[in-house]
Amino acid sequence: MIERITALLLSSGLILRGGFDFDRGEDAPAKAVLLVGHGGADYWPHFQEWQARNVGVADPLDAWSLIVIDRVADAVGARAVYPSDRPYLPFQQWAMRAEGLKPSPLGVLMHPEFGLWHAYRGALLFDRALVLGELSKARHLCDECREKPCLTGCPVGAFDVDGYDVGACRGHVLGEGVVCRRQGCIARNACPFDAYRYPAEVQALHMDALLAG
Ligand code: B12
Ligand code: SF4
Ligand code: SF4
């Protein structure tokens, strides 16, 4: 089934991002979950091609993700859920269990290959166990990073060791923060593990979503 899902996702640029069986007796929405997302911005040309044919659709990235991932869910007998579904589902906690990731000081999970440049577009919930096997521990790149430039990059100090000041960030991005608005978060872009960094136009779309939320 994993091969089937991988093949079904191929034409979207999205990939499977691991999964796990929920523990017996755990308060969980299903018996097992597989996460769908992207490392880097491989999905971008596929999404853009769809968007050109669907001008004016609200929340276009969410709308596109729903079409792609619902189709996969139907094909494999799963139920699809999404990061923006309310109440919010614990996508990052699931990702930590699915891929053995840990958070960066920015809150974004750090991936050993993709760095900070990855995200989740949906999840497939199964009413049966999948028995996926043991997870090997992922290398946590932040442990190897002495300077931690992500913590000093924000012009308004929205990120520090205590967390993320959403109000300060939004205020700057809506006001003087032209660089953040057009090229993405300066703090995130300061991370040296940037082989999969999203192009500026992709970062700008995510920033628009942040401002709208
Ligand atoms: C609400 C939300 C926001 C809010 C507020 C965040 C906050 N501090 O409360 C806003 C709109 C500000 C936001 C911003 C961003 N977000 Co956001 N956000 C969410 C959302 C929809 C819900 C979070 C939640 O409450 N979950 C419910 C709880 C129960 O789940 P959880 O797994 O336990 O939640 C964890 C997070 O809340 C995390 N956390 C705590 N503080 C912060 C701060 C930041 C910046 C992040 C990323 C996470 C984080 O700790 C919790 C415990 O593990 C999630 C999707 C989701 N469903 O989780 C995305 C999500 C966490 N966001 C994500 C991202 C990438 C971002 C941004 C970096 C980029 C963007 N989308 O523009 C920005 C960061 C700001 C910037 N300067 O660029 C990704 C993280 C992916 C990853 N690689 O880890 C997620 C998973 C969405 C996705 N599609 O993949 N976000
Ligand atoms: S700059 Fe260093 S500490 Fe910050 S996210 Fe990147 S690797 Fe982690
Ligand atoms: S988007 Fe700009 S203001 Fe917000 S945290 Fe990143 S660098 Fe700071």
Side-chain angles (χ1 to χ4, degrees), residues 154-156 158-159 164 169 172-173 180 185-187 207:
C154 173
V156 291
F159 286 114
Y164 172 40
C169 168
H172 180 69
V173 178
C180 302
C185 173
I186 299 166
M207 202 52 79

Side-chain angles (χ1 to χ4, degrees), residues 35-69:
L35 294 172
V36 177
H38 50 89
D42 285 352
Y43 71 96
W44 186 250
H46 304 281
F47 163 64
Q48 275 200 310
E49 195 252 322
W50 173 87
Q51 201 182 16
R53 290 182 280 108
N54 294 276
V55 178
V57 173
D59 301 324
L61 188 53
D62 284 353
W64 173 78
S65 303
L66 190 129
I67 291 168
V68 172
I69 299 171

Side-chain angles (χ1 to χ4, degrees), residues 104-106 110 116 141-143 145 147-151 187 190-193:
S104 69
L106 301 185
M110 174 52 86
L116 298 176
L141 298 175
C142 300
D143 288 342
C145 174
E147 302 283 326
K148 303 209 182 324
C150 59
L151 284 176
C191 178
F193 298 105

